[in-house]
Amino acid sequence: MLSKLRHIILFGSILVGFHALSQPYFNKLIDKAYLYNSVLVTDTGFIAVGGGFVNAYRSLIITAFNHEGDSLWSKSAGMPPNASTARKILAADSGFYVSGVIKDTADVTPWDFYLAYFSPQGDSVWLKRYGKAKTMEFLEDAIITANGDVVMVGVNRTESGDRDAWYVVKTDAQGKLIWEKTLDGIENENGCRSIIETPEGDYVLVGEQEVAEKQYDIWVVKLNSDGDRLWDTTYGGEFTDFSPEINLAPDGHLGMAFDYLQSSKSESRAIRYIKMNRFTTEVMTDVAILDFNEGSVLTKPLYDEYGNVIIAGNFVVEFDLIGLVIKFNPATGNIIWSREYTRNSNLQHYIYDIQPASNDGFVFCGSGFPEDHMGGVIQGWITTIDCKGADSLTHYFPNESCEDYTSISESTIAIEDAVNLYPNPTNGSVSLRSSTIMQNVVVYSITGSLVHQQSISASKSAEVKLDKTLPNGIYLVEIKLQNGEKMRKKLSLMR
């Protein structure tokens, strides 16, 4: 049932050909799990994996949902005591794989990778462990290769915790070890975060590498199918770059999204997207997407049929940590839409995985944490959204079609630089200048609420004054031109 999804997990770039979801879309917290790390789209709905507490022990939780978000079954896998949460779920023939980290109290080495195989109903078939003596292994990502093998990546840490290296394991479909590699760079590595397979059957891994005291750059490593290093390169700015995620762009090259510091202050962050040539390491695209104070990109980039990029994670918006999904044009960095998601105002919300679903929509999973991460109940979180980012609790732009938020025509891209919006950031007064006659301008909050609109009398210039009661933050400005084209720019309001 799940085998035909293998190519989606491996080359998850173009969002087409998925089963239809029933309306309305859903947004749910699940008491049985304290988080969901990964989600798989199936014929009957979704399977989410993560962790919960069973008999006072942390244990793997697997939950199947139908398209309406109703739980079909939920199981705690038969793991040793103190098994940690699952990190990744992958489609397999007549079932699915789950990978993560595991330990039990009898082990001298506390943490290992594991790979487990389950039936479509969530029954455990086998489990294998992988790790080195006197070190701890923490898994971050896993893929199924084109020939059905499994490659897992993460970090190998000394018992003292003073040295990290990348750890890579390859197994066959039955979990038999093919090879394992430990990768060292210049200095201390902060862990391999993400992996993809290229069309040639090689593997590209990304993570962080310490290049100076407490300063990290993105480290990109290419291995052949035997685990031999073909090349490696670093990418970074003046300050720290971290939390990279990678996927194949539609043209087969390497698309990476990550966070970076814009100054020495940790609260001055932004999201960056680069596309790198998979053969030469040349950077083909390099754009800044969104400024924020705290948070992180936590999911691999996805691509729609027009080549636009979708990423998700958790970000601070007006002092609240919320789940955020962003869709943007990779050629310009301009945001097409950006949506924030919550389920309970008393929780901090994290999105750990997002996958394409139906009608250009998505399913994502994560967790809702109490603000202090100690008191209260931590809950698993799963949500489906449509092509415009709407779930069962929010409805964005109900009078516009999906095409308004998926298609970026060549003519729209061509005029992006021809329309100027300044100053940006602004204190509330904004000037628009265009080489093309404008008709009207509309401003939305980052949640999709309409906050300002005005007509423009067939002019190439306009002045916009935002309401003084609007809070500081990111807003989306949509400008309609006389030729019918629409363009969108992000605006930062700072009073």
Side-chain angles (χ1 to χ4, degrees), residues 229-240:
R229 193 181 305 190
L230 299 177
W231 55 252
D232 66 281
T233 186
T234 57
Y235 176 92
E238 180 181 358
F239 304 100
T240 286

Side-chain angles (χ1 to χ4, degrees), residues 172-189:
D172 65 15
Q174 289 72 47
K176 181 181 178 180
L177 181 65
I178 298 175
W179 51 256
E180 61 178 345
K181 302 284 183 178
T182 302
L183 304 179
D184 290 302
I186 304 171
E187 294 290 342
N188 196 32
E189 285 66 60

Side-chain angles (χ1 to χ4, degrees), residues 27-31 33-34 314-315 317 319-323 341-350 366-381:
N27 184 331
K28 295 189 174 183
L29 290 172
I30 309 298
D31 291 330
Y34 73 84
N314 62 288
F315 302 90
V317 176
F319 306 106
D320 293 323
L321 191 64
I322 52 89
Y341 300 93
T342 60
R343 188 64 179 84
N344 183 329
S345 60
N346 295 320
L347 298 177
Q348 297 181 349
H349 294 77
Y350 295 77
S367 61
F369 277 85
E371 291 186 4
D372 59 5
H373 283 211
M374 297 295 291
V377 178
I378 303 172
Q379 295 173 290
W381 185 31

